[in-house]
């Protein structure tokens, strides 16, 4: 080879008259590169090419042919006593961990093979949508399919990527535009196995699924290949296979391009803390010594709850993560990432990720889920990262709907005090009580995510615990809010939208959707009940029914109004602590604060009044001047709908947002 192994990039390099391969497998005694002309129809054995081992554990191979349109994989042997020899898949062909695309069988083993292709994509000059300030983001967290899979979305394509950007539909991108959000955060889209082993059966490999009657991994938090897109969302899926062409690559890019064309920041949820469990994934089966952590007794670490914690501190594993992230930024123009259970990554890797990405793309969004083994929002902030702020979530709504309710229920969540409640509106800053972050730029404020009950269901249970065990026929039966539930839903939304920092809502939060376990062929004993962990349900439990919006139309329009207000009011999202002044009230459940908008570049000042009491109608003294009402317990509109001065009266469990042009 004219190139040395160190100059050759990992994976496959395709040239006009030759194809080059580089594969890291330091413990192997031999490695073959197997080339396939077809995927599973013919040529099952493939053509074997021996690979040569370099000095650093790299194996390489040069084949004097342009292999575009073919598939490849690696077969490795290991010395006696090596853990890989105990793998149920020992001796099988494994796809490349650096695969840019894989073709798989639609079953739990996947039998993935790496596809060799050239991708020429016309971005039409459309670049990234990095935010100038992360606090300008209003993030909509969603599963890709949730916004298009229900018949009410009225989409036509078979591809979820294509569906999302169809123009004549109720869901997908048109829905996000109408709602007004400016960022979408997708649950995992890196290649995972959508299927788990059959329920109740012991497989030939020794897997015994006793936990998942659906045998489905819908959310995708079990990554197999970090560089490849999920192929089951593309148009070339069939009953038996997915990814037989590079359609997923092209359609994913097309989706991102259209989102960017419409000014939408695109964030991907990524899972680097562990890998997939049951499929022929090369990391746990060929690279265990560099990819998986063990404790001092030699047992695989399991702080992720999956039994195969990723060894991010190993130089090769760390570089794999960084290479993968840069691949998604550069090849797919992804604008940022949310890192699942990010505390399971070692701190040197936190810094390596941030430095490597921000050196090239200083405005790329990096968000940690700051737990997994230990609680670490402050540590991430110390390292310059943003992270999910569960403190505002727990303070405002509570951590548990029956036993640990929060402010909107006129209660104090067990960790909350008045000073801590005030601080969450300032960005949960370390300079004040209960603080987590050095700056509000690091605080990703949310009340609902894919995990746990929806905010709507949390409120339903919090007001009437008996509904938790009731079974209903469909989502609509539960979704319609009564008067008290509607009041609390709007109150919670207002509290969230007047808090400094980055803002996130989850799909359906804007109309208080209820996650009711849908009828199916699977023997789920909780059918008809509320679901707080719907990771395994590819059905109407998760899919958004857009007809349900009419049931809580008032709340939907309230969210639309709050979104418009926040986008046009930098003082509500990026004011510093010194610009926010809290007023004293005899009742600590009554909160009011003045926001001076000058430093944030806002032409207005704001006054927020929140009445968290259960039944106390409150008259509140206003700062000097004439104020425009833009939000009350019923309406939220950027246009304003009333003028007040001196005092206002606030109903219990509700609030008001006032605006005044600064002279």
């Amino acid at each position: 080879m004219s190139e040395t192994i160190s100059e050759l990039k990992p994976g496959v390099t395709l040239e006009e008259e030759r194809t080059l391969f580089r594969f890291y497998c330091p413990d192997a005694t031999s490695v073959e590169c197997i080339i396939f002309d077809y995927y599973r129809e013919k040529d099952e054995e493939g053509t074997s090419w021996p690979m040569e081992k370099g000095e650093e554990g790299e194996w390489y191979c040069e084949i004097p042919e342009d292999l575009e349109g073919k598939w490849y994989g690696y077969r490795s042997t290991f010395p006696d006593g090596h853990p890989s020899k105990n793998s149920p898949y020992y001796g099988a062909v494994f796809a490349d961990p650096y695969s840019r695309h894989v073709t798989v069988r639609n079953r739990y083993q996947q039998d993935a093979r790496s596809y060799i292709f050239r991708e020429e994509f016309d971005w039409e000059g459309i670049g990234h949508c990095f935010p100038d300030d992360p606090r300008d983001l209003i993030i909509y967290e969603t599963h890709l399919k949730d916004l298009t899979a229900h018949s009410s979305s009225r989409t036509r394509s078979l591809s979820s990527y294509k569906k999302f950007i169809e123009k004549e539909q109720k869901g997908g991108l048109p829905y996000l535009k109408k709602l007004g959000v400016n960022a979408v955060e997708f649950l995992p889209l890196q290649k995972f196995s959508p299927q788990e082993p059959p329920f109740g059966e012991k497989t030939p490999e020794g897997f015994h699924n006793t936990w998942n009657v659906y045998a489905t991994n819908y959310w995708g938090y079990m990554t197999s290949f970090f560089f490849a897109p999920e192929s089951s969302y593309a148009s070339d899926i069939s009953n038996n296979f997915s990814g037989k062409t590079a359609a997923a690559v092209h359609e994913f890019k097309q989706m991102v391009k259209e989102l960017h064309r419409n000014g939408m920041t695109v964030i991907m949820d990524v899972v680097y803390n562990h890998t997939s469990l049951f499929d022929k994934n090369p990391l746990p089966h060929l690279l265990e010594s560099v990819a998986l952590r063990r404790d001092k007794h030699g047992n695989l670490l399991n702080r992720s709850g999956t039994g195969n914690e990723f060894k991010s501190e190993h130089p090769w594993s760390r570089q794999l993560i960084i290479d993968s992230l840069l691949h998604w930024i550069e090849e797919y123009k992804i604008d940022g990432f949310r890192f699942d259970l990010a505390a399971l990554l070692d701190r040197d890797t936190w810094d390596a990720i941030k430095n490597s990405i921000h050196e090239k793309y200083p405005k790329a969004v990096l968000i940690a889920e700051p737990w997994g083994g230990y609680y670490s929002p402050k540590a991430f902030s110390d390292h310059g990262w943003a992270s999910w702020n569960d403190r505002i979530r727990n303070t405002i709504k509570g951590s548990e709907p029956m036993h640990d309710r929060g402010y909107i229920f006129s209660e104090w969540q067990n960790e909350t005090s008045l000073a801590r409640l005030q601080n969450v509106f300032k960005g949960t800053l370390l300079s004040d009580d209960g603080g987590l972050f050095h700056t509000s730029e690091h605080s990703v404020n949310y009340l609902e995510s894919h995990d746990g009950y929806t905010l709507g269901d949390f409120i339903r249970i919090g007001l009437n615990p008996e509904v938790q065990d009731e079974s209903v026929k469909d989502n609509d039966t539960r979704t319609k809010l009564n008067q008290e539930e509607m009041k609390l839903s709007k109150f919670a939304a207002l509290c969230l939208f007047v808090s400094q920092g980055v803002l996130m809502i989850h799909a359906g939060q804007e109309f208080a959707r209820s996650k009711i376990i849908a009828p199916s062929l699977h023997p789920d004993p909780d059918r008809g009940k509320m679901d707080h962990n719907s990771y395994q349900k590819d059905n109407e439990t998760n899919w958004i029914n857009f007809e349900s919006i009419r049931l809580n139309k008032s709340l939907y329009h309230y969210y639309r109004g709050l979104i418009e207000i926040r986008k046009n009011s930098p003082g509500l999202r990026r004011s510093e602590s010194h610009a926010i002044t809290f007023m004293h009230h005899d009742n600590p459940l009554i909160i009011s604060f003045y926001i001076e908008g000058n430093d944030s570049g806002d032409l207005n000042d704001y006054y927020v009044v929140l009445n968290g009491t259960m039944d106390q109608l409150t008259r509140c003294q206003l700062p000097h001047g004439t104020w425009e009402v833009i939000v009350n317990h019923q309406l939220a509109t950027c246009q304003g709908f009333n003028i007040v001065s001196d005092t206002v009266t606030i109903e219990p469990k509700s609030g008001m947002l006032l605006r005044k042009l600064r002279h």
Side-chain angles (χ1 to χ4, degrees):
M1 295 178 66
S2 57
E3 295 90 353
T4 66
I5 186 64
S6 60
E7 294 172 335
L8 189 63
K9 68 179 182 180
V12 61
T13 300
L14 193 59
E15 299 182 355
E16 287 187 5
E17 297 182 354
R18 63 176 183 167
T19 307
L20 310 171
F21 300 87
R22 174 182 169 184
F23 172 50
Y24 182 73
C25 195
D27 297 342
T29 54
S30 68
V31 178
E32 302 169 80
C33 179
I34 314 295
I35 304 300
F36 300 93
D37 291 327
Y38 307 93
Y39 181 80
R40 293 298 180 188
E41 294 92 345
K42 306 174 185 177
D43 193 30
E44 284 291 322
E45 295 301 318
T47 303
S48 174
W49 293 79
M51 302 188 76
E52 298 180 34
K53 191 173 186 179
E55 296 180 357
E56 303 298 326
E58 306 276 0
W59 296 81
Y60 60 93
C61 177
E62 175 182 343
I63 299 177
E65 182 182 349
D66 183 338
L67 296 177
E68 182 178 13
K70 299 184 186 297
W71 289 263
Y72 74 99
Y74 301 119
R75 182 183 286 119
S76 304
T77 61
F78 295 88
D80 291 341
H82 192 276
S84 291
K85 297 201 77 169
N86 298 323
S87 164
Y89 299 127
Y90 183 68
V93 175
F94 287 85
D96 193 331
Y98 271 79
S99 298
R100 292 167 52 234
H101 183 60
V102 292
T103 305
V104 301
R105 289 182 184 237
N106 298 334
R107 61 187 191 183
Y108 67 90
Q109 299 100 331
Q110 295 206 97
D111 294 321
R113 288 179 184 165
S114 305
Y115 185 57
I116 304 172
F117 67 101
R118 289 182 174 89
E119 167 69 359
E120 295 181 2
F121 184 81
D122 184 5
W123 287 96
E124 301 181 65
I126 297 173
H128 286 92
C129 276
F130 298 127
D132 290 330
D133 187 313
R135 293 170 293 187
D136 295 339
L137 295 176
I138 300 174
I139 301 170
Y140 195 88
E141 187 204 35
T142 184
H143 189 286
L144 175 68
K145 283 186 69 174
D146 282 358
L147 285 194
T148 59
H150 195 276
S151 59
S152 62
S153 68
R154 300 179 186 174
T155 54
R156 297 180 299 276
S157 175
L158 295 177
S159 161
S160 292
Y161 296 122
K162 287 184 174 181
K163 280 183 178 181
F164 203 86
I165 56 175
E166 278 185 22
K167 293 181 179 180
E168 302 300 325
Q169 64 159 314
K170 282 194 170 184
L173 175 56
Y175 180 75
L176 298 183
K177 290 171 60 180
K178 186 175 180 181
L179 185 61
V181 297
N182 56 18
V184 59
E185 180 179 306
F186 288 115
L187 269 62
L189 293 175
Q190 293 168 313
K191 186 73 193 80
F192 62 92
S193 179
Q195 292 162 335
E196 292 191 352
F199 177 68
E201 300 177 18
K202 193 166 185 178
T203 71
E205 301 88 2
F207 304 132
H208 190 193
N209 174 7
T210 60
W211 59 89
N212 184 353
V213 300
Y214 297 85
T216 298
N217 176 17
Y218 179 60
W219 282 353
Y221 288 93
M222 200 65 79
T223 310
S224 298
F225 296 94
F226 293 123
F227 295 78
E230 177 48 50
S231 53
S232 66
Y233 300 144
S235 58
D236 60 353
I237 189 171
S238 66
N239 289 334
N240 296 317
F241 307 103
S242 68
K244 293 188 73 172
T245 70
V249 175
H250 189 87
E251 291 168 12
F252 194 135
K253 292 178 180 179
Q254 188 66 35
M255 179 183 72
V256 174
K257 182 170 75 172
E258 291 306 310
L259 285 163
H260 284 170
R261 194 195 303 274
N262 287 275
M264 203 78 64
T265 296
V266 181
I267 300 169
M268 277 176 55
D269 199 334
V270 288
V271 187
Y272 294 108
N273 64 80
H274 68 277
T275 68
S276 63
L277 278 172
F278 309 112
D279 66 330
K280 294 178 182 177
N281 176 350
L283 295 175
H285 296 290
L286 301 183
L287 292 160
E288 183 192 299
S289 65
V290 300
L292 301 185
R293 289 189 183 125
R294 290 185 178 270
D295 63 21
K296 62 181 181 181
H297 303 294
N299 300 312
L300 290 173
L301 278 175
N302 192 27
R303 290 175 295 174
S304 65
T306 64
N308 57 349
E309 195 170 307
F310 195 62
K311 195 175 182 179
S312 61
E313 62 274 17
H314 189 281
W316 182 86
S317 298
R318 180 180 294 154
Q319 192 61 49
L320 177 84
I321 293 172
I322 292 169
D323 289 348
S324 167
L325 294 168
L326 290 172
H327 171 76
W328 289 102
I329 294 175
E330 293 168 356
E331 290 296 317
Y332 290 83
K333 298 196 183 298
I334 297 299
D335 304 304
F337 305 93
R338 178 264 189 189
F339 292 77
D340 179 69
L341 297 180
L344 289 174
L345 304 177
D346 68 286
R347 296 191 180 193
D348 287 342
T349 296
W350 299 357
D351 294 336
I353 289 171
K354 186 176 187 298
N355 294 339
S356 297
I357 290 179
H358 282 173
E359 180 181 355
K360 290 186 174 182
Y361 307 97
K363 294 182 179 181
V365 180
L366 300 177
I367 300 171
E369 182 186 27
W371 40 80
Y374 66 104
Y375 186 71
S376 53
K378 178 186 178 299
F380 274 104
S381 189
D382 290 343
H383 287 252
W385 281 65
S387 62
W388 277 14
N389 183 356
D390 65 326
R391 186 149 293 168
I392 185 174
R393 178 196 69 191
N394 294 343
T395 300
I396 299 301
K397 77 171 185 181
S399 65
E400 202 281 327
M402 291 194 293
H403 306 294
D404 195 30
R405 291 181 289 263
Y407 178 64
I408 62 172
F409 294 95
S410 307
E411 297 182 16
W412 296 105
Q413 189 262 345
N414 71 72
E415 296 181 334
T416 303
S417 64
L418 174 60
R420 182 168 292 196
L421 175 59
Q422 291 175 339
N423 191 22
V424 300
F425 294 113
K426 294 196 291 184
T428 317
L429 301 175
L430 283 164
S431 56
D432 290 292
D433 188 75
L436 300 173
F437 308 107
H438 291 284
T439 167
S440 62
E441 289 184 43
H442 294 164
S443 178
V444 179
N445 301 325
Y446 72 106
L447 300 180
E448 176 187 331
S449 71
H450 63 277
D451 285 323
Y453 287 112
T454 69
L455 175 59
D457 283 345
F458 193 103
I459 289 172
R460 293 177 182 99
I461 297 169
L463 291 175
N464 182 13
E466 293 181 359
V467 303
Q468 188 174 30
D469 297 318
E470 291 179 358
S471 181
V472 297
K473 291 182 178 180
D474 54 44
N475 280 355
D476 281 5
T477 304
R478 185 67 73 202
T479 297
K480 176 68 175 175
L481 298 172
N482 63 36
Q483 186 174 354
E484 186 70 4
E485 291 165 348
M486 177 65 77
K487 194 170 188 179
L488 260 64
S489 296
K490 289 183 175 180
F491 188 34
L494 176 58
C495 290
L496 176 64
F497 275 77
V498 296
S499 300
Q500 301 295 321
V502 186
L503 189 144
M504 184 187 86
I505 63 175
H506 182 59
Q509 179 178 332
E510 66 277 12
F511 62 92
R513 73 146 160 176
S514 184
K515 277 191 182 180
I516 299 298
I517 298 174
S520 70
L521 298 176
H522 304 285
D524 192 330
D526 294 321
R527 180 183 302 175
K529 295 181 181 179
M530 295 177 181
D531 199 342
H532 69 284
N533 186 20
S534 58
Y535 79 96
Q536 78 286 56
K537 300 177 183 71
D538 186 1
N539 60 29
E540 293 188 17
T541 308
N542 282 305
W543 303 341
I544 297 293
N545 182 349
F546 294 95
E547 298 301 324
S548 296
I549 295 174
R550 60 181 169 75
L551 300 172
N552 297 315
K553 201 168 186 179
S554 172
L555 181 61
Y556 169 75
H557 286 295
Y558 198 78
Y559 268 89
R560 285 186 65 188
L562 289 172
I563 290 167
E564 183 183 13
I565 289 168
R566 188 171 174 94
K567 287 197 299 186
N568 287 281
S569 308
L572 295 179
R573 59 184 192 265
R574 42 182 158 116
S575 290
E576 301 301 325
S577 180
H578 65 81
I580 303 172
T581 304
F582 285 87
M583 309 305 170
H584 173 75
H585 298 277
D586 292 335
N587 190 327
L589 289 171
I590 300 171
I591 305 289
S592 66
F593 53 97
Y594 185 97
I595 303 173
E596 202 281 324
N598 185 59
D599 288 353
S600 65
D602 203 314
L603 298 176
N604 297 288
D605 295 337
Y606 300 90
Y607 196 64
V608 179
V609 187
L610 303 171
N611 181 359
T613 66
M614 183 171 294
D615 52 17
Q616 180 180 327
L617 193 68
T618 299
R619 182 175 292 276
C620 184
Q621 187 72 37
L622 296 178
H624 177 74
T626 300
W627 294 86
E628 183 182 20
V629 181
I630 53 177
V631 181
N632 67 6
H633 65 287
Q634 292 179 319
L635 300 175
T637 169
C638 207
Q639 307 309 313
F641 53 88
N642 199 7
I643 301 296
V644 295
S645 58
D646 299 327
T647 63
V648 291
T649 300
I650 309 294
E651 292 195 7
K653 296 182 181 179
S654 71
M656 188 174 286
L657 174 60
L658 311 175
R659 178 177 65 194
K660 181 178 68 173
L661 185 65
R662 191 171 55 258
H663 298 293

